[in-house]
Amino acid sequence: MSRPVLRVVLGDQLTPSLAALRNADRARDVVLMMEVAEEATYVPHHKKKLAFIFSAMRAFASELRGAGWIVDYVRLSDPANTGSFLGEISRSIERHGFRKVVYVEPGERRVVAMFETLRDRTDVEFEVCEDDRFICSKVEFDQWAETRKHLRMEHFYREMRRKTRLLMDGDEPIGGRWNFDSDNRKRIRKDLLLPQPLQFEPSEETAEVLKMVDATFDTHFGELKPFWFPVTRSDAERAAEAFLRHSLPGFGDYQDAMIEGEKFLFHSVLSPLLNVGLLDPLDLCRRAQAEYAAGRAPLNSVEGFIRQIIGWREYVRGIYWLKGPEYIESNALNATRRLPEMYWTGETDMACMAAAIRQTKEEAYAHHIQRLMVTGNFALLMGIAPHEVHEWYLAVYADAFEWVEAPNTIGMSQYADGGLLASKPYAASGAYINRMSDYCKRCRYDVKAKTGEWACPFNALYWDFIARCRSELRRNPRMAQIVRAWEKMTPDDQLALRARAASFIEHVENFGTDL
Ligand code: FAD
Ligand code: DLZ
Ligand code: SF4
């Protein structure tokens, strides 16, 4: 008879078919799950994110126990809790006297290093399993990357379509095109009825977690209540079903839209559930495809949704592991300013920034265009140090885990990797925000004005960014023309724009906000 083993399950590994739980002896092996202070505080995670992760972990422990597993669950409040993965795994090894630990490779380098340290310190056998909840393995991504001069998502995505057979008609994409993004940039009509994500009443267990988070992490960013995230697998399923039925049809058309007071639009708000393992990405995509097949959702929506998951989500993970630990320190544009305090308070006269930050505070959620073209764009134009921006995104969103957050922030949003991930910087003036949203209508700033005290800050900051970074940007064929446009401006116009940007930046640096 084989000897019992300790099977470690981390807070983002809440999947019954997890590789570490396979070929196990449920009657003798022990599953270790641990709430630890170190994970809760290595950045000041949003209170709702903490409550979500701890509640989902507790719910998963119950699910496992119900399926006959022995679960050693360490609560944060346990007086013996050492507060770290290292301490808790060591303590559990001692408690149970096991000689073998099985775990799935953690999703963050930081945590991988912890497991390696522990393995080197003890004489217990450590068996690491691949995280096969992703569609593309690390090895497969590396092989794809080796054959490519430019690592563009679009090419990778086509490989994933072929591999999964999603939306394929033989060797060709259904609809004759791989990508329907050009159909996906509609402004929202005022009379459109907007769906809302399904919201859930906290269970007794979740209510207890809310109390604990409130008492222990009261200095952390964000509002804890109302807390409505699904935390069990069955509620996650209900949330996914509601999205597929009610929001997916409009997902494509309005993917890039933003509207005052509407936090979710047609977005799924499923990323936290996918990232902790309560939903399976491939299964979700197959169900989206079935909506198209049944005639309930149009192709541009279904293709767009599937691309985000089998394309972007898998691609950013591949990039994270392909690049070394230095990736998160990248700073190709030499941006060095501090992150302004307004990112934590939401207090600013810029209506777009206020909306994105305030809803982030309330919900630990903002949709992609708010992250990329509002808060990300502003940080890029201001020249904020990418690492500070990275730590903010990692802390404030319920879906933030470094493997997915860092490439999106460092690469896509801040262009700090010099264009490895994005073919050009996502830099835009107020005109873009005005086109895709109704924020500018109620803003104190004038989106049409470029200079003057009440000119939209994005306008002068945009040109200041082009001027400041022109030697790097000139090398990018998609930016060279914009650099030339800057150089063709009259010296007076250049001076006025740069003066407006400089006084705005100085104010924000001094006061942490434009107010
Ligand atoms: P939907 O719009 O409904 O999209 C469906 C799903 O596609 C998402 O749930 C998500 O799993 C996936 N997806 C969409 N875009 C991306 C993308 N660019 N990268 C990876 N997956 C994607 N996503 C995270 O999951 N965690 C993060 O920490 C994170 N940080 C980001 C930071 C910045 C600066 C930017 C610009 C984007 C970031 N994203 C992150 C990507 C994206 O913004 C979120 O996945 C999305 O907003 C989640 O909301 P949703 O579930 O409603 O997405
Ligand atoms: C994000 C997070 C938090 C806040 N807390 C825990 C925890 O207490 N226990 C746990 O197992 N995981 C937690 N996580 C997720 C981890 O920080 C980490 O992101 C993943 O394990 C990926 O390596
Ligand atoms: Fe944002 Fe400028 Fe529009 Fe105000 S005017 S909402 S600052 S883009």
Side-chain angles (χ1 to χ4, degrees), residues 388-444:
E388 293 216 1
V389 185
H390 154 66
E391 291 201 327
W392 184 77
Y393 281 100
L394 195 54
V396 303
Y397 291 112
D399 60 19
F401 296 88
E402 196 178 86
W403 64 266
V404 52
E405 176 278 329
N408 269 298
T409 305
I410 299 284
M412 190 188 308
S413 161
Q414 300 303 298
Y415 201 72
D417 64 5
L420 173 83
L421 198 142
S423 58
K424 75 182 209 19
Y426 283 93
S429 67
Y432 173 87
I433 296 172
N434 193 28
R435 194 163 58 247
M436 296 317 304
S437 78
D438 66 352
Y439 293 141
C440 304
K441 280 191 193 134
R442 275 175 292 276
C443 185
R444 281 192 72 180

Side-chain angles (χ1 to χ4, degrees), residues 243 251 255 264 266-272 274-275 305 307-309 312-314 316 365-369 371-373 376 389 393-394 397 399-406 408-410 412-414:
F243 163 74
F251 179 86
Q255 208 179 328
F264 310 108
F266 292 87
H267 292 277
S268 68
V269 201
L270 295 179
S271 49
L274 284 163
N275 294 352
F305 183 70
R307 174 159 28 87
Q308 305 313 313
I309 295 181
W312 279 111
R313 186 171 186 271
E314 295 286 327
V316 297
Y365 177 84
H367 65 72
H368 187 66
I369 294 299
R371 297 188 206 194
L372 186 64
M373 300 312 295
V389 185
Y393 281 100
L394 195 54
Y397 291 112
D399 60 19
F401 296 88
E402 196 178 86
W403 64 266
V404 52
E405 176 278 329
N408 269 298
T409 305
I410 299 284
M412 190 188 308
S413 161
Q414 300 303 298

Side-chain angles (χ1 to χ4, degrees), residues 430-502:
Y432 173 87
I433 296 172
N434 193 28
R435 194 163 58 247
M436 296 317 304
S437 78
D438 66 352
Y439 293 141
C440 304
K441 280 191 193 134
R442 275 175 292 276
C443 185
R444 281 192 72 180
Y445 292 105
D446 176 359
V447 71
K448 297 258 159 43
K450 293 192 172 62
T451 54
E453 197 189 348
W454 290 109
C456 167
F458 282 87
N459 294 340
L461 286 176
Y462 176 79
W463 287 113
D464 189 59
F465 166 75
I466 301 291
R468 198 172 65 234
C469 302
R470 62 185 180 281
S471 54
E472 290 87 359
L473 299 180
R474 205 192 302 279
R475 283 188 235 126
N476 181 318
R478 296 186 66 193
M479 295 304 287
Q481 204 183 345
I482 294 165
V483 173
R484 280 198 296 277
W486 164 256
E487 286 168 346
K488 277 190 193 150
M489 274 186 208
T490 65
D492 281 356
D493 285 351
Q494 287 185 343
L495 208 64
L497 283 166
R498 295 209 76 176
R500 160 70 180 143

